[in-house]
Structures are given as C-alpha cells and as structure tokens.
Amino acid sequence: MPLAKQRPRQPTPRDAITTEAAATLPIHEIGDSGLDSETAYELISSELLLDGQARLNLATFVTTYMPSIAAKLMAETADKNMIDKDEYPQTAEIEARCVSIISEMWNSPDHEQATGCSTTGSSEAAMLGGMALKWRWRERMSKAGKPTDRPNMVMGANVQVCWEKFCRYWDVEPKLVPMEGDRFHLEAEQAVAACDENTIGVVAILGSTFDGSYEPVKEIAAALDQLESDKGIYVPVHVDGASGGFVAPVLQPDLEWDFRIDRVQSINASGHKYGLVYPGVGWAIWRNEEALPRDLVFDVNYLGGHMPTFALNFSRPGSEVVAQYYMFTTLGREGYRRVMQGAQDVATHMSSEIANIGPYRLISEGRDLPVFAFALAPEVENYTVFDVSDKLRQHGWLVPAYSFPENRQDLSVLRIVIRAGMTMEMADNLLEHLREITEFLESLDAPLPSPATEKRTAFAH
C-alpha cells in the first residue's frame, strides 16, 4: 500500500529528450533514457517552487535556517557513512564529542564517559529509550519471579505520536492520561495514579507540541519516589526533550528536569529542532552504562573493526552529526542562549500582541519553549481557527489549526513555533496580516461555509 498519493498517470515519451522545453519528468516509472543533468536540475527545482517557503512555516519545530557555511560542511560530509566507524574514525570521534557535550548540558554525573548515541531524529531516540526501559523492567520482574507479558507505559495524551508507535511496535500498553479542564499535560498526581508494577516508565515531555509547555519532571519524579516508598514499586522516568532539551539548559538553567534528578534514566532530543541543525539528527543519552542493557547493543565487524551499535537504522550520512558539532563549536553555550532568547523574545512579543487583538485568548505565552497557542473567544460564531489558518496561508504563512485530544476535543487552537531565522520584523509582518484577516472575518454577517471535518487539512505534530 503506498503511503503517498500520486497524480494520475501521465504519458512519458519513450525517446531520450534533451531539450528543457520538451523534457518530461518521470512520474510512475524510470525513463529509458535520462535527461541531461542541467535540464533535470532545472525541472526538479522548478517543481519544488510549489512547496511553501520554509522560513514562513510556523507549524514545524524542525530547523529551516542554518548558516550557509554549515550547509557547505554538510555537503562535503554527506558521503561519510555514520555507521562505518572504522573507515571514518574522525566522524565517530565527533559523534562521541557531541554525546559528551550534550551529556554535560543535561548534567550527567558521568558525562566524560557518557553513554549515548546519535540517531536519525528524536523518534528513533525515543524508541531506543523506550526499549531500554522495557528490557530493564523485564529483568526486574524476572528476578522477582513475576510475569513479564503485560508491560505498560504512562504518559500524557499530549505526547508526540512516536510514543504511541513505540507502544504498538514493542507490544507495550500505552496509559495515556487525558487532558482535563485547563490541564493540558501530564502532572505528578495523574502520573502516579496510572502506575503499577507493570509500568516500565513514565515519559515526561519537556516541551509539549500542543502548547509549548514543560511537564513538571521534578514533581513527577518526587511523586514516584513516594510511590516506591509507600508500595515498593520502582518506576523510572524518561524525559522526551525533543525540543526543550536544547532550550532549557540555556534559557532555564536552574530548572531541574535532567540527570540532576536521580529517577531520570534517559533523555532524547532532536538536534534538528532547537539543536539548530537541518534534519535529520537526534540524540539518545542514558544516565550511565547500567541504564542501557548490554544485550541491546550489537557488535558488528563486517565493515572492518569491531563496532558496538544501538540503533534502528544502520547506514546514514555523517553530515548531520558533523553539522551538530559545527553548531556547538561556532555558537558555544552563550551563542545558543542568544539564539534561544531571541526566539523567546519574538514568541512573547507575538503572544502579547495577539492577546490584544479582540477575539483571541492565549492558551500559552511562549515562556517555556518559544512556542505558543491561542484560541478564539467562545462568543465568536462566524468563523473558526481553521478559517484564520486558511487566510494566513493565502499570505504565505503556515500556522496550523488543530483540535486538542480526547477529553478536550472541544478546544481548537492555532499554534506558532518560533525558530532561528524568525526575526522581529517578520513577526510584525505576520501580526499585521493577522489583524487584517481578523478585521475581515469580524465583519462577516453570517458564518463562513465550513468543509466537512474529515476534509480539513490534518495537523501532524
């Protein structure tokens, strides 16, 4: 079953075509003869003009701007296979340096001998963290002579879909704590109430994709400490720092969410989000060697030399890891702080201005991640947040509108993600467009016709 829909089949000439005017791109099958390189480049680059402007995409958390010299470095290292550490030992050394740097940022007690690896993104890193939790739980249960056939994982309903994938792929029951009222993420009381002896771990989110808020990792861990004291049930914590893992260390350095908390056993983050690298690179870091079961690590030697590997993917380019090291090298901690503070300044400026535009109310302000969500006031009846999103798209801005999960599906919001490259001038331009759109929508005498719910553009967070 194809995962992407394609246009209906179009005729493709069988003869070699060398003139751009008559050239046709292959759609459903490779041509008998190829186009010359410049013609192929022109045709493909022209087709890509139909994509949106990446810098105006305020839906994605993924990096859309890097210095041009970083892109040059990535192009020069795209041919290096990250898995082949014997052939590319310096690329492997750079990966190890990045693991140590990130471990130190997250206050690992053993960062100079850090246990971790690069991945293709946070989704793979989350899968690896979840696997380690399941293996360690199974070992504890086996030693206690208890069954190991019904593992579960506790998390808020606001988790990214990769955690639901993990549970389905690795046969773990997901215990999704629903939102309730104005509580839009997991908190300590609800987390502990969902735990039992079959719980392999609690996933705490450092930066919810729904509103940018941090879950209270320290409070959740303290409640789990009390659970262990009262009932003898040990439940570790994994922190999904997909976005916040590179924001909190520089913007909220005193916030305790990381390995300063003993119960936190592993953390994942996306280098291609607020790590400031083009996709795709992620990082999985464990508290120490004991937190990562040895039987999950494979040793391969057919590429030459013996190499331990823990990954779902095998071959992948080393360029993103090199780019991550470049960003660490060129920015340093202060540079990261400056970039993140700039993004947060833009986010809080925009949220405060939007709050002053009559029909909107803020769900969050951008004071955790530089991300905020806002909804329409209850009395607005002639249009929806989906209409606002559609109108903004006509100006080139991609601002997603979506409904919250089960139990708060009555709440629909718009969400804006501020990343590096979004300037205050661009923000003011967006605000002006939003004011114009809102003035038009407010002037309507009757509700806009609304498409069927299933026909609305889906929001993939």
Side-chain angles (χ1 to χ4, degrees):
M1 181 180 69
L3 297 180
K5 294 181 179 178
Q6 294 182 329
R7 300 191 302 275
R9 181 186 175 90
Q10 298 176 357
T12 302
R14 290 290 178 180
D15 297 328
I17 300 174
T18 56
T19 60
E20 182 182 341
T24 303
L25 288 169
I27 303 298
H28 295 291
E29 60 185 46
I30 191 168
D32 292 335
S33 299
L35 306 178
D36 68 90
S37 58
E38 289 201 11
T39 299
Y41 172 85
E42 292 296 335
L43 286 173
I44 295 172
S45 62
S46 296
E47 196 164 274
L48 290 172
L49 292 174
L50 297 173
D51 279 345
Q53 290 291 325
R55 294 276 291 279
L56 302 185
N57 182 358
L58 303 183
T60 183
F61 286 76
V62 174
T63 297
T64 55
Y65 167 79
M66 286 187 77
S68 58
I69 194 69
K72 179 175 183 289
L73 184 60
M74 291 182 73
E76 292 173 354
T77 55
D79 60 342
K80 297 179 184 290
N81 187 355
M82 193 66 245
I83 197 65
D84 195 347
K85 294 174 172 56
D86 187 67
E87 183 69 22
Y88 307 111
Q90 202 56 37
T91 303
E93 167 64 18
I94 285 174
E95 179 189 30
R97 291 177 190 175
C98 287
V99 168
S100 292
I101 289 168
I102 296 168
S103 297
E104 190 275 333
M105 289 177 67
W106 296 344
N107 292 287
S108 167
D110 198 21
H111 73 270
E112 292 183 0
Q113 301 294 325
T115 300
C117 60
S118 66
T119 64
T120 56
S122 242
S123 292
E124 183 186 3
M127 301 277 176
L128 300 182
M131 288 168 65
L133 291 178
K134 182 177 179 180
W135 259 245
R136 293 185 70 208
W137 168 83
R138 192 167 59 191
E139 181 182 10
R140 291 193 302 272
M141 294 293 280
S142 294
K143 286 182 178 178
K146 295 181 178 180
T148 61
D149 59 336
R150 299 187 64 186
N152 67 66
M153 175 176 276
V154 172
M155 48 198 157
N158 57 308
V159 292
Q160 214 268 358
V161 70
C162 70
W163 288 107
E164 296 182 60
K165 287 183 179 180
F166 165 77
C167 289
R168 186 175 301 179
Y169 295 167
W170 272 271
D171 199 21
V172 174
E173 177 194 357
K175 285 193 170 183
L176 295 169
V177 176
M179 296 178 178
E180 186 174 357
D182 291 331
R183 179 181 59 74
F184 301 129
H185 60 221
L186 185 66
E187 293 185 352
E189 180 182 353
Q190 291 77 23
V192 171
C195 290
D196 56 37
E197 66 176 1
N198 289 321
T199 302
I200 67 173
V202 171
V203 176
I205 309 296
L206 196 73
S208 171
T209 57
F210 282 92
D211 61 2
S213 63
Y214 294 160
E215 292 183 340
V217 181
K218 187 176 182 179
E219 288 80 357
I220 290 171
L224 292 172
D225 289 343
Q226 190 62 49
L227 175 68
E228 184 175 6
S229 176
D230 293 344
K231 298 184 178 180
I233 299 174
Y234 171 73
V235 179
V237 171
H238 174 93
V239 177
D240 182 350
S243 297
F246 285 101
V247 176
V250 294
L251 283 192
Q252 301 101 1
D254 295 329
L255 178 68
E256 294 183 35
W257 63 273
D258 51 22
F259 292 122
R260 285 171 288 185
I261 301 170
D262 291 341
R263 196 164 289 270
V264 173
Q265 296 298 297
S266 50
I267 304 172
N268 70 273
S270 288
H272 61 234
K273 291 179 181 173
Y274 287 102
L276 305 181
V277 177
Y278 287 143
V281 60
W283 300 96
I285 309 291
W286 285 266
R287 180 176 200 85
N288 48 38
E289 284 191 16
E290 291 72 31
L292 176 58
R294 293 301 302 171
D295 60 348
L296 286 175
V297 180
F298 288 82
D299 184 85
V300 296
N301 65 3
Y302 75 87
L303 293 175
H306 287 268
M307 295 168 291
T309 175
F310 181 34
L312 301 182
N313 292 286
F314 200 66
S315 295
R316 55 189 170 89
S319 51
E320 287 85 356
V321 170
V322 173
Q324 183 76 80
Y325 189 59
Y326 171 85
M327 297 307 293
F328 287 156
T329 301
T330 191
L331 286 178
R333 189 181 296 269
E334 175 55 27
Y336 267 87
R337 189 206 63 78
R338 186 174 64 251
V339 171
M340 302 308 165
Q341 188 63 62
Q344 190 170 72
D345 289 346
V346 172
T348 54
H349 165 69
M350 289 194 70
S351 65
S352 64
E353 289 294 314
I354 288 172
N356 292 327
I357 302 176
Y360 300 111
R361 62 184 182 91
L362 294 179
I363 302 300
S364 57
E365 299 178 353
R367 298 190 183 279
D368 288 339
L369 288 183
V371 174
F372 65 94
F374 57 104
L376 285 167
E379 60 269 19
V380 175
E381 296 181 350
N382 282 359
Y383 60 97
T384 69
V385 291
F386 299 96
D387 298 319
V388 177
S389 178
D390 289 343
K391 293 294 183 183
L392 284 170
R393 186 180 288 266
Q394 293 171 18
H395 290 275
W397 300 102
L398 274 66
V399 177
Y402 54 95
S403 297
F404 271 37
E406 184 179 359
N407 215 39
R408 280 311 318 263
Q409 289 174 325
D410 58 304
L411 177 61
S412 295
V413 304
L414 295 145
R415 189 204 63 204
I416 290 179
V417 178
I418 304 299
R419 305 179 308 279
M422 180 68 175
T423 65
M424 198 68 80
E425 291 75 19
M426 292 170 69
D428 286 337
N429 192 0
L430 170 57
L431 287 168
E432 187 57 36
H433 286 148
L434 181 61
R435 292 186 186 100
E436 292 174 4
I437 288 166
T438 306
E439 183 178 357
F440 165 75
L441 292 172
E442 285 286 301
S443 70
L444 296 174
D445 295 327
L448 281 173
S450 179
T453 302
E454 63 272 11
K455 291 185 178 180
R456 289 198 181 276
T457 301
F459 165 58
H461 68 100

